[in-house]
Amino acid sequence: MPSLIPDLYVILDRAAARGREKEWPSGKLLPLAERLRGRCRAAGVTFIVNDRVDLAVAVEADGVHLGQDDLPPRVARPLLRPGMLLGVSTHSAEQARAAQAARADYVAVGSIFPTRTKAGFELAGPGLLRALRPEMRVPLIGIGGITAANVGEVIRAGADGVAVISAVCGAPDPEAASRRLLDAIRAARAS
C-alpha cells in the first residue's frame, strides 16, 4: 500500500515533456489513466488524477486533486469512493482555510516560486506556508517553481511535501531528478 500523502508529488505533464493531455476528452484519457494507475500500483506509489473526478473514480485512483476552478470539494467528496484522497490547490490563506473546512485531505499552496507552468499566478511564497502551518490540521503541499535547489526552504517553511512538474518532467533524467528532490526533502527535515 503506498503512503497516501507522499513527500513528492510528480505531476505528469506532457507539455513539460513535449506533449499535452490535460485538454483531452475522457475517452482518450481513460486508457492512459488506466496504464498509469497500473504502473503506480506496481511501484507502490499514490496515483492522483488532476481535475477530473469522473476519471479518478473510473480508474479507481487513490485520489483526485482539484483547482479553484474545478468542482468544489463539497460537491466532489460525495462522488468519491470511500478512502479516496481529495486535494485542493490554493493561492491564499483564505482559500487554504476554506479547503481545510471543506474536508480536503491535503492542501496545496502556491505558487511558491516563479514558474513557467502557471504563468500569471500571484506568488504565495514560503511565507504563506509559514503563516498557515500553525492552523492547518491537514498536510500542506508546496507547489510552483520548486527545484532540488530550493525545496529545502519549502520544507523548512512548513510544507509536508511538494508537487513539481518541470523539475522532473522537464529533466533529462526524471528518475535522477526525483531522487535529488527526495534527498533534499529528507536533508531539510533532518536539519
Side-chain angles (χ1 to χ4, degrees):
M1 181 66 182
S3 166
L4 288 180
I5 304 292
D7 296 337
L8 176 63
Y9 292 74
V10 177
I11 301 168
L12 299 181
D13 185 345
R14 290 170 50 129
R18 292 160 290 289
R20 190 68 177 169
E21 77 290 321
K22 193 170 181 174
E23 292 84 23
W24 288 0
S26 297
K28 188 171 179 181
L29 272 174
L30 182 63
L32 174 62
E34 289 172 331
R35 284 193 309 276
L36 289 170
R37 183 215 50 222
R39 288 182 180 182
C40 287
R41 284 204 179 138
V45 298
T46 304
F47 177 59
I48 296 177
V49 173
N50 197 32
D51 301 335
R52 304 289 296 271
V53 174
D54 59 339
L55 199 59
V57 172
V59 301
E60 298 181 4
D62 297 307
V64 65
H65 185 89
L66 301 174
Q68 291 297 306
D69 295 328
D70 296 324
L71 281 178
R74 67 176 173 73
V75 174
R77 176 64 78 185
L79 302 174
L80 302 180
R81 289 184 348 278
M84 282 182 78
L85 294 173
L86 174 60
V88 178
S89 286
T90 66
H91 314 292
S92 68
E94 295 75 23
Q95 289 176 354
R97 289 182 192 113
Q100 178 174 261
R103 297 182 17 231
D105 295 301
Y106 67 89
V107 174
V109 176
S111 185
I112 302 299
F113 301 110
T115 176
R116 293 181 312 250
T117 309
K118 292 280 187 177
F121 273 106
E122 185 174 323
L123 288 181
L128 182 56
L129 290 168
R130 275 190 286 282
L132 287 169
R133 181 70 282 164
E135 63 186 275
M136 299 304 283
R137 296 176 313 280
V138 297
L140 281 174
I141 307 301
I143 188 168
I146 297 170
T147 66
N150 63 25
V151 71
E153 181 180 356
V154 179
I155 298 299
R156 288 187 295 275
D160 296 291
V162 298
V164 301
I165 299 174
S166 300
V168 172
C169 293
D173 184 344
E175 182 178 354
S178 297
R179 289 188 195 286
R180 282 192 298 276
L181 280 158
L182 286 167
D183 289 346
I185 290 168
R186 290 183 191 112
R189 287 190 179 139
S191 64

